[in-house]
């Protein structure tokens, strides 16, 4: 079989399509990176050439190939304090705004989805305990959900590799973890503080009970969904949020590809999306 | 005060939807002053096919984008004739947001939209023809390229052709070559058409 | 270098406008709809916007209304659309546009407007 290669025009065509779908724009300098991955997928899907592969990418009803490719084109690792600027935004901007307008003493509710193996939800918990003075005045509930029960078991268990905790300051690592052979075990107080639940975001029955959240973290999930599922997920979140609640997406994700339901808000630390405070008319 | 777990684990079976959920009361709810009530009604009306007409007329009046989105989703799920005709009528609306929402909804309905596509592409209103080409952008249908070719060969309106050329650069095969050259020759005085046809031709010949 | 944000859902139109403006010495950025344009405007200042009307998720009018309500540098905006009715022009100006061009634009037509709005890019 002749080696597959991507022409300049094919690269341009793909670049425009991928940008339209995901909001990720590759510079020409990324040509080699993009070509390699395209060639790999063309070969693995036995498409033979770019043209056949591109047609599959655009028209496959399940959107599975686009998801595969997006996975390859984005680095999706999870570790403690990943995209820390959002946690800074949480404690410096979002929570002060929420407590400033809150008229009762009910708990502030945070939903982190997908939970994956729990690093994000526990990072939020640590951040609140360490960097938010309001923790003395307010109750906070952290709920973290995933579709995968095996990964939820790992999250509840809370044991992590060195790699996973490498961005944590030494002080916090000592305070909240104990070393166990090759790994780090998160402390019971934190395990108690986060509720892990199984949810399929596209099942109405599953998401019905999720209401009245003040903040949702949904990072690096919707970018892998097809257009219809993104829209449905954005609506599910809308129903799960209080008026004025916030949603944080991953750093390579843009609400411009998902939904028009939310207001774009700029805070010093990050761009965040907000459900309108007052529902129109 | 601290990090706490949810106090109660009640699976919330009774949520905000207080109204009995039969089709008639849902139709009444669709006129409720509270947008939240209208949203829920529009969502639950998915099980009431006879409600598509009411949803279509509500859609034209509805000012709340979150309610419009649910109505459009419900109409897309229904996908019946009344729903599709209702979506087509939105393309003629003066409201830009509604028009674009309808375009996005129709992209999700290849089987329902395909039979009326020729009619849309021949509509007397050039704006509607542009929107029809916009729908083709994500419509999963084997005839997309041949529809686009017919647009650039026959549509008298420059901007309708221009919109079609943009898409042909992405989906066009060698079958589009001659029609693109003909369009280019027809509009030698229009720099944009020269640029767009050259770009599409380059992408097709390289591909 | 003056920075211009092109907001249009059609890739060919973005590329066409980009080439014209880059050739005249401007730095060009792109967005496919009003929401992305708003996200980018909140992250970095632009000197000018070139905005289409019909776009998914958030259209050109909606974008300008949102932009004009933000507490950021308010750069001028040229609306560029296929719609040629007087009512479209009126809506565009009401939403916060400063000029209106009907598609397809000729390069010199676009450049004249751009220079009127933000001045020469190259002396």
């Amino acid at each position: 079989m002749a080696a597959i290669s991507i022409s300049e025009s094919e690269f341009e065509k793909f670049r425009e399509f991928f940008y339209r779908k995901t909001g990720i724009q590759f510079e020409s300098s990324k040509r080699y990176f993009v070509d390699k991955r395209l060639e790999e997928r063309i070969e693995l899907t036995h498409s033979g050439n770019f043209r056949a592969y591109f047609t599959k990418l655009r028209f496959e009803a399940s959107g599975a190939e686009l998801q595969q490719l997006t996975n390859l084109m984005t680095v999706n690792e999870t570790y403690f304090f990943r995209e820390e600027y959002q946690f800074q935004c949480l404690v410096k901007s979002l929570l002060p705004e929420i407590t400033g307008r809150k008229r009762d003493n009910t708990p502030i509710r945070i939903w982190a989805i997908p939970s994956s193996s729990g690093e994000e939800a526990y990072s939020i918990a640590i951040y609140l305990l360490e960097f938010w003075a309001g923790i003395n005045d307010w109750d906070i509930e952290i709920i973290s959900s995933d579709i995968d029960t095996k990964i939820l078991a790992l999250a509840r268990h809370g044991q992590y590799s060195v790699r996973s905790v490498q961005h944590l300051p030494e002080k916090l690592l000592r305070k909240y973890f104990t070393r166990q052979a090759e790994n780090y075990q998160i402390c019971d107080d934190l395990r108690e503080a986060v509720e892990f639940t199984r949810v399929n975001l596209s099942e109405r029955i599953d998401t019905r009970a999720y209401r009245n959240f003040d903040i949702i973290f949904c990072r690096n999930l919707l970018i892998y969904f097809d257009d219809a599922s993104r829209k449905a997920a954005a609506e599910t979140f809308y129903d799960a949020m209080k008026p004025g609640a916030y949603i944080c997406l991953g750093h390579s994700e843009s609400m411009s590809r998902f939904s028009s339901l939310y207001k774009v808000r700029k805070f010093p630390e990050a761009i965040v999306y907000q459900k309108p405070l007052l529902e129109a008319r | 005060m601290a990090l706490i777990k949810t106090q109660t684990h009640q699976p919330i079976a009774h949520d905000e939807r207080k109204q009995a959920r039969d089709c008639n009361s849902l139709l009444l709810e669709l006129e409720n002053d509270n947008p939240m009530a209208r949203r829920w009604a529009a969502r639950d009306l998915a099980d009431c096919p006879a409600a598509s007409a009411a949803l279509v007329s509500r859609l034209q009046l509805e000012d709340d984008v979150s309610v419009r989105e649910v109505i459009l989703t419900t109409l897309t799920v229904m996908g019946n004739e009344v729903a599709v005709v209702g979506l087509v009528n939105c393309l003629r609306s003066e409201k830009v947001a509604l028009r674009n929402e309808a375009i996005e909804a129709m992209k999700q309905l290849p089987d329902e939209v395909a039979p009326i596509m020729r009619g849309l592409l021949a509509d007397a209103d050039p704006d509607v023809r542009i929107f029809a080409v916009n729908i083709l952008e994500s419509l999963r249908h084997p005839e997309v390229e041949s529809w686009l070719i017919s647009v650039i060969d026959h549509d008298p309106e420059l901007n309708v052709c221009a919109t079609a050329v943009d898409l042909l650069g992405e989906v066009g095969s060698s079958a589009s070559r001659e029609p693109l050259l003909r369009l280019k020759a027809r509009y030698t005085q229009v720099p944009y058409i020269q640029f767009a046809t050259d770009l599409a031709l380059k992408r097709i010949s390289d591909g | 270098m003056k920075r211009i944000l092109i907001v249009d859902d059609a890739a060919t139109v973005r590329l066409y406008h980009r080439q014209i403006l880059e050739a005249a010495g401007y730095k060009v950025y792109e967005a496919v709809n009003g929401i992305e344009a708003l996200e980018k405007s909140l992250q970095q200042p632009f000197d000018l916007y070139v905005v289409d009307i019909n776009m998914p998720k958030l259209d050109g009018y909606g974008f300008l209304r949102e932009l004009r309500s933000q507490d950021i540098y308010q750069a001028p905006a040229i609306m560029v659309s296929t719609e040629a009715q007087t009512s479209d022009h009126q809506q565009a100006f009401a939403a916060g546009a400063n000029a209106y061009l009907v598609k397809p634009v000729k390069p010199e037509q676009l450049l004249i407007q751009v220079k009127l709005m933000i001045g020469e890019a190259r002396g």
Side-chain angles (χ1 to χ4, degrees):
Chain A
M1 196 172 94
I4 298 153
S5 75
I6 310 291
S7 75
E8 172 84 33
S9 284
E10 287 168 343
F11 170 74
E12 294 291 342
K13 229 159 101 158
F14 170 75
R15 177 159 81 158
E16 267 161 22
F17 169 76
F18 195 69
Y19 170 55
R20 187 174 79 227
K21 286 291 174 190
T22 66
I24 297 171
Q25 205 165 15
F26 291 114
E27 301 291 322
S28 300
S29 58
K30 286 274 184 142
R31 172 88 193 265
Y32 181 78
F33 170 92
V34 172
D35 282 8
K36 281 286 148 239
R37 278 151 187 80
L38 281 173
E39 284 158 17
E40 180 187 328
R41 290 309 301 167
I42 291 169
E43 197 161 340
L44 284 170
T45 55
H46 308 290
S47 304
N49 57 35
F50 174 83
R51 186 175 175 79
Y53 177 73
F54 192 56
T55 304
K56 181 183 173 71
L57 203 58
R58 293 187 81 254
F59 292 115
E60 188 183 53
S62 70
E65 184 53 35
L66 182 57
Q67 176 166 353
Q68 279 275 359
L69 188 67
T70 309
N71 235 324
L72 278 179
M73 295 288 179
T74 54
V75 184
N76 196 5
E77 291 184 280
T78 158
Y79 50 83
F80 279 86
F81 282 22
R82 180 176 184 208
E83 292 166 30
E84 189 180 354
Y85 64 93
Q86 281 195 341
F87 304 133
Q88 288 169 355
C89 187
L90 170 72
V91 298
K92 289 184 186 160
S93 298
L94 304 184
L95 286 167
E97 218 173 79
I98 290 168
T99 55
R101 66 168 177 256
K102 209 162 152 53
R103 305 235 182 279
D104 55 34
N105 286 321
T106 55
I108 294 166
R109 287 161 54 83
I110 299 177
W111 191 14
I113 181 167
S115 83
S116 185
S117 35
E119 287 91 335
E120 180 175 274
Y122 288 131
S123 293
I124 294 169
I126 294 173
Y127 230 83
L128 293 174
L129 292 169
E130 292 292 323
F131 304 109
W132 189 52
I135 196 75
N136 299 315
D137 306 315
W138 297 90
D139 279 336
I140 293 225
E141 290 176 16
I142 304 172
I143 295 150
S144 191
S145 309
D146 207 288
I147 192 171
D148 180 348
T149 48
K150 277 189 238 119
I151 206 126
L152 282 165
L154 285 178
R156 289 190 192 101
H157 185 56
Q159 207 172 85
Y160 297 97
S161 67
V162 175
R163 189 184 167 78
S164 175
V165 298
Q166 67 183 341
H167 294 279
L168 276 175
E170 181 65 33
K171 192 185 98 180
L172 299 183
L173 193 58
R174 274 204 306 269
K175 184 164 169 188
Y176 293 107
F177 295 79
T178 50
R179 181 99 203 210
Q180 286 190 350
E182 295 299 291
N183 294 322
Y184 287 88
Q185 171 64 50
I186 204 159
C187 67
D188 285 347
D189 282 354
L190 283 181
R191 289 177 61 209
E192 289 297 311
V194 179
E195 168 126 8
F196 288 99
T197 63
R198 192 205 162 270
V199 165
N200 179 349
L201 205 46
S202 33
E203 280 292 340
R204 292 272 304 286
I205 302 209
D206 281 13
T207 57
R208 216 170 234 228
Y210 291 77
R211 291 284 180 269
N212 292 318
F213 284 97
D214 295 280
I215 299 166
I216 294 177
F217 284 86
C218 181
R219 310 198 298 186
N220 310 308
L221 178 70
L222 299 187
I223 198 170
Y224 302 106
F225 284 16
D226 64 36
D227 291 344
S229 313
R230 288 168 173 186
K231 186 168 179 285
E235 286 183 12
T236 298
F237 289 144
Y238 194 89
D239 290 333
M241 293 160 86
K242 286 182 187 159
Y246 308 92
I247 180 161
C248 302
L249 301 175
H251 73 105
S252 53
E253 291 178 308
S254 158
M255 193 60 95
S256 63
R257 301 302 186 279
F258 304 156
S259 170
S260 35
L261 290 174
Y262 303 92
K263 298 275 169 210
V264 187
R265 287 288 307 276
K266 180 188 165 54
F267 293 102
E269 305 82 14
I271 295 260
V272 170
Y273 305 90
Q274 186 177 27
K275 177 172 174 173
L277 199 49
L278 296 170
E279 303 226 20
R281 292 158 295 273
Chain B
M1 298 290 160
L3 298 175
I4 59 165
K5 275 206 180 175
T6 321
Q7 309 289 302
T8 47
H9 287 264
Q10 84 281 28
I12 305 177
H14 309 285
D15 48 28
E16 300 85 343
R17 312 175 201 195
K18 298 196 182 67
Q19 202 74 32
R21 308 312 279 179
D22 63 273
C23 294
N24 282 333
S25 58
L26 286 171
L27 282 173
L28 281 176
E29 280 285 280
L30 207 52
E31 308 298 324
N32 193 303
D33 281 344
N34 181 353
M36 188 73 102
R38 299 201 297 279
R39 264 171 74 75
W40 287 121
R43 181 157 292 171
D44 289 352
L45 277 167
D47 300 325
C48 307
S52 42
L55 286 164
V56 162
S57 51
R58 180 70 230 172
L59 185 58
Q60 301 275 354
L61 307 171
E62 182 59 60
D63 282 325
D64 187 308
V65 59
S66 74
V67 182
R68 282 204 307 274
E69 289 239 330
V70 175
I71 294 178
L72 285 159
T73 305
T74 300
L75 288 175
T76 315
V77 171
M78 290 175 162
N80 59 31
E81 203 183 326
V82 178
V84 173
V85 170
L87 290 172
V88 170
N89 284 334
C90 292
L91 300 181
R92 302 180 198 287
S93 168
E94 285 299 302
K95 299 175 183 167
V96 192
L98 178 59
R99 287 196 311 248
N100 289 305
E101 287 155 8
I103 290 170
E104 291 200 63
M106 289 170 82
K107 286 175 180 173
Q108 306 294 332
L109 292 170
D111 296 340
E112 293 76 8
V113 168
I116 58 167
M117 190 40 86
R118 280 198 186 279
L120 288 176
L121 290 171
D123 197 278
D125 182 350
D127 286 336
V128 170
R129 303 203 296 277
I130 289 177
F131 302 147
V133 174
N134 288 152
I135 292 166
L136 293 181
E137 178 231 64
S138 295
L139 197 74
R140 299 177 201 279
H141 197 276
E143 287 214 61
V144 167
E145 185 181 8
S146 60
W147 283 326
L148 291 170
I149 288 175
S150 148
V151 168
I152 63 168
D153 264 338
H154 303 117
D155 201 295
E157 189 67 35
L158 176 55
N159 278 313
V160 182
C161 294
T163 311
V165 173
D166 176 50
L167 190 48
L168 276 173
E170 193 174 304
V171 304
S173 68
S174 53
S176 299
R177 234 182 81 79
E178 292 301 321
L180 281 165
L181 288 168
R182 282 195 290 274
L183 181 73
K184 190 181 170 194
R186 214 160 82 219
Y187 289 107
T188 45
Q189 301 304 309
V190 182
Y192 177 75
I193 293 289
Q194 299 301 306
F195 174 88
T197 48
D198 282 344
L199 184 69
L201 285 164
K202 181 167 187 303
R203 294 202 172 160
I204 286 166
S205 63
D206 271 18
Chain C
M1 204 186 258
K2 299 279 189 186
R3 303 145 57 87
I4 301 179
L5 181 66
I6 298 171
V7 192
D8 200 306
D9 55 333
T12 310
V13 177
R14 290 198 305 274
L15 199 54
Y16 176 69
H17 289 163
R18 171 186 278 279
Q19 297 206 336
I20 296 169
L21 295 169
E22 281 182 346
Y26 298 100
K27 179 103 178 99
V28 174
Y29 299 80
E30 298 180 25
V32 301
N33 63 34
I35 299 177
E36 188 182 11
L38 203 57
E39 291 170 347
K40 292 199 166 163
S41 314
L42 291 172
Q43 283 163 333
Q44 53 184 324
F46 294 102
D47 298 293
L48 180 76
Y49 300 93
V50 176
V51 186
D52 181 27
I53 292 180
N54 281 299
M55 292 179 289
K57 302 284 193 287
L58 182 62
D59 57 77
Y61 298 139
F63 163 62
L64 285 181
R65 275 193 292 270
E66 282 289 326
L67 179 77
R68 296 309 186 211
S69 73
Q70 299 287 333
D71 183 20
I72 54 171
Y73 170 66
Q74 292 295 333
I78 303 174
M79 203 125 220
V80 184
S81 176
T82 57
E83 299 178 43
Q85 311 279 323
T86 316
S87 62
D88 300 314
H89 291 235
Q90 286 167 339
Q91 260 199 82
F93 290 116
N98 304 81
Y100 195 106
L101 294 174
V102 176
K103 280 185 187 173
V105 297
K106 293 198 163 67
E108 58 278 14
Q109 212 186 348
L110 179 64
L111 286 173
I112 288 170
Q113 281 302 331
V114 169
K115 284 171 188 173
L116 275 174
M117 296 285 155
I118 55 172
E120 296 276 347
R122 265 203 305 242

